[in-house]
Amino acid sequence: MGSLIKSELNRFLHRWQLWVALLLLVACFIQGYLAFYPFGREFRPFHHNWFVAFSYAQGKGASAVLAAIYPLVISLLAGDSLVRDRRSGFDRYIMTRTSYRTYLLSKLISSAVMVALFVYLVEFAMFAVAMFVFPATETVQAVEGITPVYAEDLFLTYPYLFILLITSNAVLYGIALAMLSNFLATLIKNIYVVLVGPWLLLFVLQSTFYSLELSDYAPLNLLGLYIGRRLIYEHSTLEIPLIFLAVIAFFFLSSYLLFTWRIKRGNGK
């Protein structure tokens, strides 16, 4: 399995989708920073500091666009590998040399690793950009409507750990989207549906959750809006990562069971 994961990661580094995803994610953060920057106004240290700026660009701010673009970024990164193998028949070629379990698990694990590495590296780099652009502050203070309401005690006491927390939440969100794409790839061979499907599905679910008055759990809100806005109630610190872990487990298991059923029905290895 290790060699398959290594091969998949090598393919990932040499695909044009990596650079498009990188440009999109960086552009979203830059747009968030520009929307937050106090052009023509005075810098206020407890308002315009790099911790608040990063959480704003992450999706806390109403002007940030990252939540709408992020699903497409993840689809470009890890959404099409399995479906391309199925369309070309490469999966059957590989499965003549290894078991279908090893093949599928290597696909699922490598997509999760790719997303985690990519999101952590890019978001930490964007936080470094915020440290250069926005002024430092020795301490942070609670400012109504400005500082985060999610994990507020952690933000006020250990702001760097808070940045790690919301970045890790974004990583888990991305892995959940990658598992959804892999699940779709076990269902169908249409590459465009696999790439765009999760993006469109989230927008449909967003409207559905709002119509059911469940806006706190609307999927696009769970990337960043939960950080700074109380919609109905305040999420606990562990609630957000636990939601993503549950979604990851569901689609991971569903992909495995569906792929296994397809292989056995077709008398594959």
Side-chain angles (χ1 to χ4, degrees):
M1 183 184 297
S3 60
L4 287 176
I5 294 175
K6 183 178 179 181
S7 175
E8 193 69 19
L9 292 175
N10 185 61
R11 289 173 61 188
F12 163 74
L13 292 173
H14 293 88
R15 295 180 348 134
W16 62 266
Q17 291 95 325
L18 169 64
W19 304 107
V20 175
L22 176 63
L23 288 174
L24 285 173
L25 191 54
V26 169
C28 287
F29 268 96
I30 292 175
Q31 184 275 334
Y33 289 155
L34 290 174
F36 183 75
Y37 195 87
F39 290 100
R41 293 178 285 124
E42 180 184 0
F43 270 105
R44 289 174 288 174
F46 297 116
H47 181 169
H48 303 106
N49 60 71
W50 57 52
F51 300 111
V52 179
F54 182 82
S55 64
Y56 186 99
Q58 181 74 29
K60 166 185 173 294
S63 300
V65 298
L66 180 61
I69 303 300
Y70 192 69
L72 183 59
V73 169
I74 299 302
S75 292
L76 286 171
L77 276 176
D80 64 340
S81 180
L82 179 57
V83 72
R84 286 184 185 277
D85 283 2
R86 291 192 64 209
R87 284 172 59 88
S88 66
F90 186 69
D91 59 333
R92 294 188 177 277
Y93 170 76
I94 292 295
M95 287 186 290
T96 61
R97 288 158 172 74
T98 188
S99 69
Y100 71 86
R101 294 184 180 88
T102 299
Y103 168 75
L104 180 62
L105 289 176
S106 68
K107 284 288 184 182
L108 297 176
I109 293 172
S110 61
S111 64
V113 171
M114 287 187 296
V115 168
L117 289 175
F118 177 83
V119 175
Y120 270 129
L121 289 174
V122 175
E123 294 215 359
F124 286 156
M126 290 297 97
F127 181 63
V129 170
M131 295 175 72
F132 280 102
V133 174
F134 295 91
T137 177
E138 294 298 325
T139 59
V140 293
Q141 294 183 3
V143 179
E144 183 66 28
I146 300 300
T147 51
V149 297
Y150 170 73
E152 185 176 18
D153 290 339
L154 183 65
F155 174 80
L156 296 175
T157 309
Y158 303 104
Y160 288 101
L161 286 180
F162 174 82
I163 296 300
L164 177 61
L165 172 64
I166 63 173
T167 302
S168 297
N169 286 347
V171 167
L172 291 175
Y173 193 134
I175 294 175
L177 290 172
M179 293 302 110
L180 171 58
S181 293
N182 282 310
F183 174 72
L184 291 176
T186 63
L187 280 173
I188 54 179
K189 293 184 179 182
N190 188 315
I191 191 170
Y192 301 105
V193 174
V194 172
L195 285 175
V196 182
W199 192 43
L200 296 177
L201 176 62
L202 291 189
F203 278 96
V204 172
L205 290 176
Q206 184 80 1
S207 299
T208 302
F209 274 68
Y210 267 88
S211 66
L212 296 174
E213 298 185 352
L214 295 171
S215 55
D216 287 290
Y217 298 98
L220 298 182
N221 294 353
L222 292 178
L223 180 64
L225 194 60
Y226 71 93
I227 297 171
R229 185 181 302 181
R230 292 183 177 92
L231 297 175
I232 296 177
Y233 74 98
E234 182 180 344
H235 290 287
S236 67
T237 302
L238 293 179
E239 185 179 3
I240 299 298
L242 287 176
I243 289 173
F244 294 145
L245 287 172
V247 175
I248 291 168
F250 174 79
F251 284 115
F252 186 98
L253 182 60
S254 297
S255 299
Y256 180 83
L257 293 175
L258 181 59
F259 195 83
T260 299
W261 176 76
R262 284 187 174 278
I263 289 295
K264 290 184 176 180
R265 188 187 66 169
N267 296 320
K269 186 175 179 180

Short mmCIF file of all heavy atoms in Angstrom, two decimals, residues 41 55 74 107 138 142 144 154 161 167 171 184 216 249 254 259:
data_model
loop_
_atom_site.label_atom_id
_atom_site.label_comp_id
_atom_site.label_asym_id
_atom_site.label_seq_id
_atom_site.Cartn_x
_atom_site.Cartn_y
_atom_site.Cartn_z
N ARG A 41 -8.46 54.29 7.01
CA ARG A 41 -8.88 54.36 8.40
C ARG A 41 -7.72 53.99 9.33
O ARG A 41 -6.74 53.40 8.90
CB ARG A 41 -10.07 53.41 8.65
CG ARG A 41 -11.34 53.84 7.93
CD ARG A 41 -12.48 52.85 8.14
NE ARG A 41 -12.28 51.63 7.35
CZ ARG A 41 -12.25 50.41 7.87
NH1 ARG A 41 -12.36 50.24 9.18
NH2 ARG A 41 -12.09 49.36 7.09
N SER A 55 -8.76 34.95 10.65
CA SER A 55 -10.07 34.33 10.88
C SER A 55 -11.13 34.96 9.98
O SER A 55 -12.06 34.29 9.53
CB SER A 55 -10.47 34.45 12.35
OG SER A 55 -10.63 35.80 12.73
N ILE A 74 -10.96 21.75 -3.38
CA ILE A 74 -10.73 20.37 -2.95
C ILE A 74 -11.04 19.39 -4.07
O ILE A 74 -10.33 18.39 -4.25
CB ILE A 74 -11.57 20.05 -1.70
CG1 ILE A 74 -11.18 20.99 -0.55
CG2 ILE A 74 -11.38 18.61 -1.28
CD1 ILE A 74 -9.72 20.94 -0.15
N LYS A 107 -6.10 4.88 -2.40
CA LYS A 107 -6.73 6.06 -3.00
C LYS A 107 -7.32 6.96 -1.93
O LYS A 107 -7.13 8.19 -1.94
CB LYS A 107 -7.83 5.62 -3.97
CG LYS A 107 -7.35 5.09 -5.29
CD LYS A 107 -6.80 6.22 -6.15
CE LYS A 107 -6.40 5.72 -7.53
NZ LYS A 107 -5.82 6.80 -8.36
N GLU A 138 0.54 42.51 21.37
CA GLU A 138 1.08 41.66 22.43
C GLU A 138 0.00 40.78 23.04
O GLU A 138 0.24 39.64 23.43
CB GLU A 138 1.72 42.53 23.51
CG GLU A 138 2.95 43.30 23.05
CD GLU A 138 4.08 42.37 22.61
OE1 GLU A 138 4.22 41.29 23.21
OE2 GLU A 138 4.79 42.73 21.66
N ALA A 142 -11.31 40.75 23.69
CA ALA A 142 -12.63 40.53 23.09
C ALA A 142 -13.23 41.85 22.66
O ALA A 142 -13.33 42.78 23.45
CB ALA A 142 -13.54 39.83 24.08
N GLU A 144 -16.67 43.09 20.64
CA GLU A 144 -17.96 42.63 20.13
C GLU A 144 -18.06 42.86 18.62
O GLU A 144 -17.82 43.94 18.12
CB GLU A 144 -19.10 43.38 20.83
CG GLU A 144 -20.49 42.92 20.42
CD GLU A 144 -20.79 41.49 20.85
OE1 GLU A 144 -20.22 41.04 21.87
OE2 GLU A 144 -21.59 40.83 20.16
N LEU A 154 -10.00 30.17 24.02
CA LEU A 154 -8.73 29.77 23.42
C LEU A 154 -8.12 30.92 22.63
O LEU A 154 -6.91 31.16 22.69
CB LEU A 154 -8.94 28.56 22.50
CG LEU A 154 -7.68 27.98 21.85
CD1 LEU A 154 -6.75 27.40 22.91
CD2 LEU A 154 -8.06 26.90 20.84
N LEU A 161 -2.72 28.84 19.06
CA LEU A 161 -3.40 27.55 19.07
C LEU A 161 -4.78 27.68 18.43
O LEU A 161 -5.25 26.74 17.78
CB LEU A 161 -3.54 27.03 20.50
CG LEU A 161 -2.28 26.49 21.16
CD1 LEU A 161 -2.57 26.00 22.58
CD2 LEU A 161 -1.68 25.36 20.32
N THR A 167 -7.56 26.17 11.37
CA THR A 167 -6.92 25.60 10.19
C THR A 167 -7.14 24.09 10.14
O THR A 167 -7.43 23.53 9.07
CB THR A 167 -5.42 25.91 10.18
OG1 THR A 167 -5.23 27.33 10.22
CG2 THR A 167 -4.74 25.35 8.94
N VAL A 171 -8.93 21.71 7.36
CA VAL A 171 -8.34 20.48 6.82
C VAL A 171 -9.35 19.34 6.88
O VAL A 171 -9.53 18.60 5.90
CB VAL A 171 -7.06 20.12 7.60
CG1 VAL A 171 -6.60 18.70 7.27
CG2 VAL A 171 -5.95 21.11 7.28
N LEU A 184 -18.60 9.53 -4.84
CA LEU A 184 -19.25 9.74 -6.14
C LEU A 184 -18.52 8.99 -7.24
O LEU A 184 -19.14 8.48 -8.18
CB LEU A 184 -19.30 11.23 -6.46
CG LEU A 184 -20.24 12.09 -5.60
CD1 LEU A 184 -20.10 13.56 -5.98
CD2 LEU A 184 -21.68 11.63 -5.76
N ASP A 216 -27.05 26.95 11.53
CA ASP A 216 -25.79 26.67 12.23
C ASP A 216 -25.05 25.49 11.61
O ASP A 216 -23.83 25.38 11.76
CB ASP A 216 -26.06 26.37 13.71
CG ASP A 216 -26.43 27.62 14.48
OD1 ASP A 216 -25.55 28.47 14.68
OD2 ASP A 216 -27.60 27.76 14.85
N ALA A 249 -15.88 9.60 8.22
CA ALA A 249 -16.08 8.18 8.48
C ALA A 249 -17.21 7.62 7.64
O ALA A 249 -17.11 6.50 7.10
CB ALA A 249 -16.36 7.97 9.97
N SER A 254 -18.71 4.22 3.30
CA SER A 254 -19.64 4.04 2.17
C SER A 254 -18.88 3.76 0.88
O SER A 254 -19.29 2.90 0.08
CB SER A 254 -20.51 5.29 2.00
OG SER A 254 -21.31 5.50 3.14
N PHE A 259 -17.53 0.11 -3.33
CA PHE A 259 -16.49 -0.39 -4.22
C PHE A 259 -16.37 -1.91 -4.08
O PHE A 259 -16.22 -2.63 -5.08
CB PHE A 259 -15.16 0.28 -3.89
CG PHE A 259 -14.12 0.14 -4.95
CD1 PHE A 259 -14.09 0.98 -6.05
CD2 PHE A 259 -13.14 -0.85 -4.86
CE1 PHE A 259 -13.13 0.85 -7.03
CE2 PHE A 259 -12.17 -0.99 -5.83
CZ PHE A 259 -12.16 -0.14 -6.93
#
